[in-house]
Amino acid sequence: MPRDLDQGRIVIVGASLAGLRAAETLREEGFTGSLTVVGDEPHPPYDRPPLSKQVLLGKAAADATALPARRGLDADWRLGVAATGLDAAGKRVLLADGESLPYDRLLIATGTRARPWPDPAQAALDGVLTLRTADDAARLAERLAAGPRRVLVIGGGFTGSEIASACRERGIEVTVAERGPAPLVGALGGTLAKLAAGLQRAHGVDLRCGVTVTALRGNGRFTGADLSDGDRVDADVCVVAMGAVRNTEWLADSGLAAGRLGVACDAGCRVFDAYGIVTDDVFVAGDVARFPHPLFEYQMLALEHWGNAVAQAGVAAHNMVSPGPLRRPHLAVPVFWSSQFGVNVKSVGVPSFSDQVVIAQGSLGERRLVAVYGYRGRVTAAVTVNMAKWLEHYQGLIETAAPFPPGPGAADGHPLVTEFPVPSNVPDPRGLLHGPTVALTGHLPDRRLTLVRPGG
Amino acid sequence: MAVDTLLERITDHANRPDPYPLYAELREAGVVRQTDGSYLVGTYYDIAALLHDPRVSSDPRNLAPPYREVVPEAGQLSFIRLDDPEHHRLRGLAMRPFGPPHSPHRVDAMRGQIASITAELAEALEGRTRIDVVEDFAYPLPVTVICRLLGVPREDEPVFREWSAAIVDVADITPGQDPGERRTAGEQALTEMGRYLVDLAEGRRGHPGDDMLSAFVNEPGGAFTREELAATAVLLLVAGHETTVNLIANGVLTLLRHPDQLDRLRREPDLLPAAVEELLRYEPPVQIRRRTPLANIDVAGVTVPKGVPLILVLASGNRDPKRFPDPERFDPARTDNQHLGFGGGVHLCYGAPLARVEAQTALGALIPHLGAATLLRDPPAYRHNAMLRGPRHLPVEL
């Protein structure tokens, strides 16, 4: 790399998966300058997927999920201090402790936080929790270990569903309240979400769909909640799993294209300013980024996926130390997974970027299947339930824009198309209680709208 | 020479010591129909895609009539030759006492045993100046390990050695030969070995030991039928050692051919796991797998018709320059080494974790002895098998 790119000062704001992987890549690619990593939590980088699974089951301690460092980083870690602002012209990151950090190049990797219960007084009741950080997981695991009579989970997205699964595995009664028609509907669409609903009920979850929680009750301690259908749930613990909020407030006065939907960037992770002009010294990666993806009609995607954080951080870091012609685009096909209620769910592509779905292998009855999603006649996603080893094939179909529905001839004894394609029933995300883990932030597919509000 | 004889040349025993130039020719030629009707594929990305393609079957009953052989009933086929959902069910049952989620520590817990078996074998080499790496080391190690794991008496090895040879022989690819006699011998060996293993297992019903045959017959609620148990146990015993022998022998041969890398591994033993992966890429024991398309499928611009034999040359994909930089170079420190040595997709080698531990342990123990070793015969005498390639003997002077 040219002399000027392997030296200087790089600041990474965000000390989680994307921040750590970017820091490692910078050093691997030969960056010898000063490297500072800022994180608002006091902990060194840790892994989040186990927090809603093994930790809640009591199989791992919340403070035992530290991410392994692949190499010595020779970095200045500023942990337990939040970034509060960005002076883009003066090239300084402002910190909560009053200090500021000068940089030559900046990586924004501030991720998301749990969306809180909107009523602060109710949210403050003892027993009302969220799950995003290791500290959150430790608190919730402690509550579950104490044997509550019932847990109320508000929101049936991946986090909410995994919490409910952990509760049932521990023999704890649990109610899930979801505003949409089924759990996971935002990620999988209404058709496959029926399977998720069936799984939850088969495992004894008291699943309430099409309702909202109107109030949390309690006198100092949480005792129950009122539902919009007039019913009431008595419980000792309430987990608010209403999706995530992107940590962009600190960029409000930065002049960058940062807002509710994330920090907008080009395919090379370079952040746009508020006028849509690409910056050359500010990069973004991970959950907080929104970027155009050619496989999805250049829709601006914001992905809350582990794999995306890793891949995008690698590309961002590479581009931070590479001259223009050697920069790479972030074109990874989105992948995510979840384990809940004894099944492994894995997805490739963007299921919510679809209008139809078909069961290509396996069957709903066996709870072992591949669902393939299409949009206007081409394959855009596939979701496996306990059949993840086939996913690579479908990734190939997505990458090559193969026609939808895929042709016949699967090796599992069924014809490839066991059912005719049916509408995938992807709901408008505004109708969900849990936020979607993939946000299509542009205007396609055409049933969606982006609501632009002043200051929003 | 005409391209359509490539398969015959690959399977010709004269080319066993070095099939790699033929593989390069194959990659150059693309997907081409052979005179016997089969289609050969040798490029990495095409093979990887076919291994993950649900339209590609492992079940020989899906071959079209001119290619179909007399094949056993479903219950007599092992899961390596079945498709989902039967493959999944049987492999899942076979996995219960072997790996996650039910037995996550089984292979890891065998490290100590594998190390002590290896140490005994290495000890027996002390003071000797000439050894046969195959007979003295590469063969006895995996045989002893798989016997312990399955619960097969080690002293029965002379009995099952012949059965195993006949079974492996019938699985080989031999275009232009009359398979009649070999097939009869193979079928008979399968039946006899299956009966032998089922009898062993049945003897443990109700009073299980800590071995897999015991686990299979004492599964609550019953699991395998008698035929399924026979097919599964035969597969595990045969595949559990015939492959690892070649991995270790090919490994020693490769290291002796690359003294600088041997020296490097002596100095940097931490490289051993990566070196084993590189051996699986560079000299894989399983060179070829057969499949059958269930539909007309497009492979690299060629339509491969439904029901014809599809021959995936894994060892050729492993040296595809479009996937591996400098693929003809043996580099124990190679990164991004997603080789095809264990196949891929749902049939990804069941025994891979065990094979890795055995090869790492074996080479780790042998490397200190190989300081001044020289190959007495290079290339060595190879086994006849083109699919399962490795030296029959590997004489070395220490």
Side-chain angles (χ1 to χ4, degrees):
Chain A
M1 102 186 46
R3 292 293 297 166
D4 56 328
L5 286 174
D6 72 359
Q7 293 172 359
R9 295 162 300 188
I10 289 183
V11 172
I12 297 175
V13 183
S16 193
L17 182 61
L20 175 66
R21 289 289 180 256
E24 287 172 344
T25 306
L26 288 171
R27 291 303 191 205
E28 274 160 23
E29 299 217 358
F31 177 70
T32 57
S34 91
L35 184 56
T36 305
V37 186
V38 179
D40 61 347
E41 287 182 68
H43 312 293
Y46 58 86
D47 213 16
R48 292 182 200 277
L51 297 182
S52 55
K53 305 174 186 81
Q54 290 88 338
V55 171
L56 297 190
L57 291 171
K59 291 179 181 169
D63 57 5
T65 73
L67 280 166
R70 291 190 301 198
R71 50 170 297 140
L73 282 181
D74 185 23
D76 181 17
W77 292 85
R78 305 293 292 266
L79 299 177
V81 55
T84 52
L86 177 67
D87 173 2
K91 297 186 115 175
R92 300 182 86 84
V93 174
L94 314 180
L95 300 182
D97 61 9
E99 271 197 68
S100 70
L101 297 170
Y103 63 82
D104 297 305
R105 276 153 291 162
L106 170 71
L107 178 69
I108 297 167
T110 41
T112 58
R113 63 182 185 276
R115 184 181 301 283
W117 183 249
D119 181 318
Q122 294 174 10
L125 290 170
D126 180 42
V128 176
L129 307 169
T130 55
L131 178 56
R132 175 72 194 168
T133 66
D135 293 344
D136 293 341
R139 276 190 287 269
L140 181 53
E142 196 182 312
R143 296 280 178 163
L144 297 187
R149 279 172 307 144
R150 178 173 291 277
V151 174
L152 169 65
V153 178
I154 306 178
F158 279 105
T159 304
S161 297
E162 288 176 6
I163 294 166
S165 173
C167 287
R168 291 310 298 143
E169 203 170 326
R170 298 185 72 148
I172 300 167
E173 297 296 325
V174 60
T175 297
V176 173
E178 165 58 47
R179 185 164 73 182
L184 306 184
V185 66
L188 304 180
T191 302
L192 205 57
K194 283 181 193 147
L195 171 76
L199 266 178
Q200 295 210 356
R201 292 203 165 103
H203 282 82
V205 174
D206 171 34
L207 176 64
R208 315 285 187 95
C209 294
V211 297
T212 54
V213 173
T214 52
L216 305 183
R217 298 279 178 199
N219 192 0
R221 261 183 90 117
F222 172 75
T223 55
D226 297 337
L227 302 184
S228 57
D229 61 3
D231 212 347
R232 187 192 157 100
V233 176
D234 293 319
D236 304 331
V237 176
C238 170
V239 190
V240 179
M242 300 186 352
V245 180
R246 296 187 169 78
N247 290 319
T248 56
E249 292 83 354
W250 67 287
L251 297 168
D253 300 322
S254 65
L256 297 178
R260 189 173 56 85
L261 299 172
V263 179
C265 65
D266 71 0
C269 309
R270 296 182 300 174
V271 172
F272 294 126
D273 75 8
Y275 301 107
I277 300 169
V278 74
T279 58
D280 212 33
D281 49 11
V282 183
F283 295 74
V284 64
D287 293 8
V288 76
R290 56 186 288 242
F291 61 98
H293 203 304
L295 282 176
F296 306 99
E297 300 185 0
Y298 293 95
Q299 191 42 269
M300 298 290 277
L301 297 183
L303 306 177
E304 294 170 43
H305 300 162
W306 193 94
N308 185 65
V310 170
Q312 198 170 24
V315 172
H318 170 85
N319 290 345
M320 290 175 87
V321 294
S322 302
L326 296 183
R327 285 178 178 162
R328 292 201 293 255
H330 174 55
L331 300 177
V333 181
V335 173
F336 72 81
W337 75 92
S338 170
S339 58
Q340 47 179 291
F341 302 105
V343 300
N344 168 278
V345 180
K346 204 162 177 188
S347 160
V348 62
V350 179
S352 51
F353 193 89
S354 69
D355 49 21
Q356 288 190 306
V357 64
V358 66
I359 307 294
Q361 286 179 256
S363 74
L364 280 163
E366 293 165 40
R367 287 184 184 145
R368 210 175 109 71
L369 58 87
V370 182
V372 179
Y373 293 74
Y375 180 63
R376 291 183 181 170
R378 71 179 173 90
V379 176
T380 52
V383 172
T384 58
V385 178
N386 282 348
M387 278 189 106
K389 279 185 180 158
W390 291 109
L391 216 54
E392 194 167 309
H393 171 69
Y394 295 97
Q395 179 166 340
L397 298 186
I398 297 164
E399 284 167 341
T400 54
F404 178 90
D412 62 353
H414 304 288
L416 186 59
V417 181
T418 53
E419 293 169 23
F420 291 107
V422 294
S424 57
N425 282 338
V426 175
D428 187 313
R430 287 173 296 163
L432 305 173
L433 199 53
H434 63 277
T437 48
V438 178
L440 300 171
T441 63
H443 300 274
L444 287 169
D446 48 16
R447 286 174 291 124
R448 294 170 179 283
L449 292 169
T450 299
L451 220 57
V452 181
R453 292 194 201 91
Chain B
M1 206 175 283
V3 165
D4 65 3
T5 63
L6 198 49
L7 179 60
E8 283 155 33
R9 288 157 65 209
I10 287 172
T11 53
D12 183 348
H13 187 247
N15 290 320
R16 198 72 73 254
D18 186 14
Y20 296 102
L22 295 171
Y23 296 163
E25 215 175 293
L26 166 62
R27 290 189 300 267
E28 196 64 36
V31 178
V32 183
R33 187 166 189 259
Q34 306 296 301
T35 44
D36 71 342
S38 57
Y39 283 75
L40 275 181
V41 184
T43 42
Y44 180 91
Y45 290 106
D46 291 323
I47 294 171
L50 290 166
L51 288 172
H52 288 89
D53 195 323
R55 300 167 302 167
V56 172
S57 170
S58 296
D59 187 332
R61 291 170 299 171
N62 286 316
L63 284 164
Y67 311 105
R68 193 179 295 162
E69 303 155 2
V70 184
V71 277
E73 300 290 310
Q76 294 164 323
L77 285 172
S78 61
F79 60 80
I80 199 174
R81 297 211 288 166
L82 287 171
D83 297 331
D84 278 358
E86 277 302 277
H87 157 264
H88 176 75
R89 182 177 70 83
L90 293 171
R91 182 173 163 133
L93 289 174
M95 192 55 92
R96 289 180 77 91
F98 183 68
H102 300 283
S103 312
H105 304 296
R106 184 58 168 261
V107 171
D108 199 52
M110 288 194 76
R111 278 178 191 274
Q113 284 192 51
I114 293 169
S116 68
I117 298 163
T118 306
E120 270 173 47
L121 291 168
E123 212 169 290
L125 306 182
E126 295 293 344
R128 292 179 55 185
T129 52
R130 279 181 177 219
I131 62 164
D132 176 355
V133 173
V134 176
E135 284 296 324
D136 294 326
F137 204 91
Y139 180 76
L141 172 63
V143 168
T144 310
V145 171
I146 197 70
C147 281
R148 293 243 182 115
L149 185 63
L150 287 178
V152 172
R154 177 67 174 83
E155 52 276 17
D156 287 354
E157 183 266 337
V159 183
F160 67 70
R161 186 172 200 167
E162 277 177 45
W163 289 330
S164 189
I167 291 165
V168 166
D169 199 30
V170 80
D172 195 16
I173 290 178
T174 51
Q177 278 186 28
D178 174 20
E181 205 172 304
R182 276 189 313 128
R183 189 169 299 145
T184 311
E187 298 284 322
Q188 198 184 332
L190 269 173
T191 308
E192 289 176 10
M193 195 183 211
R195 193 181 305 138
Y196 161 79
L197 289 168
V198 168
D199 286 348
L200 276 181
E202 287 299 337
R204 288 167 211 164
R205 193 181 285 276
H207 43 95
D210 183 35
D211 57 81
M212 286 176 59
L213 290 181
S214 289
F216 289 155
V217 286
N218 291 289
E219 185 71 36
F224 289 117
T225 64
R226 196 181 165 84
E227 288 77 20
E228 289 166 354
L229 175 61
T232 305
V234 167
L235 172 67
L236 299 186
L237 180 55
V238 174
H241 74 277
E242 293 282 2
T243 48
T244 320
V245 178
N246 293 339
L247 178 56
I248 296 169
N250 288 339
V252 172
L253 176 62
T254 303
L255 291 174
L256 291 177
R257 283 173 174 172
H258 297 86
D260 52 332
Q261 301 297 351
L262 175 62
D263 197 43
R264 181 175 180 192
L265 283 172
R266 196 177 295 117
R267 284 181 281 110
E268 301 173 51
D270 287 354
L271 270 182
L272 211 49
V276 168
E277 297 311 304
E278 176 69 344
L279 287 169
L280 284 158
R281 183 192 74 82
Y282 187 77
E283 288 278 17
V286 179
Q287 301 251 312
I288 296 171
R289 295 304 297 154
R290 268 188 292 200
R291 293 288 191 271
T292 306
L294 295 170
N296 295 343
I297 57 174
D298 181 273
V299 184
V302 173
T303 301
V304 179
K306 175 181 174 173
V308 303
L310 185 56
I311 299 177
L312 310 181
V313 188
L314 306 177
S316 168
N318 275 353
R319 298 218 188 175
D320 187 341
K322 290 204 171 76
R323 175 59 182 81
F324 298 101
D326 207 358
E328 305 291 337
R329 200 166 83 89
F330 172 67
D331 176 8
R334 187 179 289 273
T335 55
D336 185 29
N337 194 353
Q338 298 280 333
H339 57 74
L340 301 169
F342 287 130
V346 295
H347 287 279
L348 181 75
C349 177
Y350 167 95
L354 182 64
R356 285 187 162 114
V357 172
E358 289 185 46
Q360 290 165 14
T361 310
L363 293 175
L366 276 178
I367 284 170
H369 292 271
L370 299 176
T374 49
L375 289 165
L376 290 172
R377 193 173 162 195
D378 191 9
Y382 271 83
R383 302 169 78 175
H384 205 278
N385 210 299
M387 198 191 80
L388 203 59
R389 176 177 166 271
R392 188 188 302 277
H393 297 287
L394 187 60
V396 164
E397 190 164 285
L398 295 177

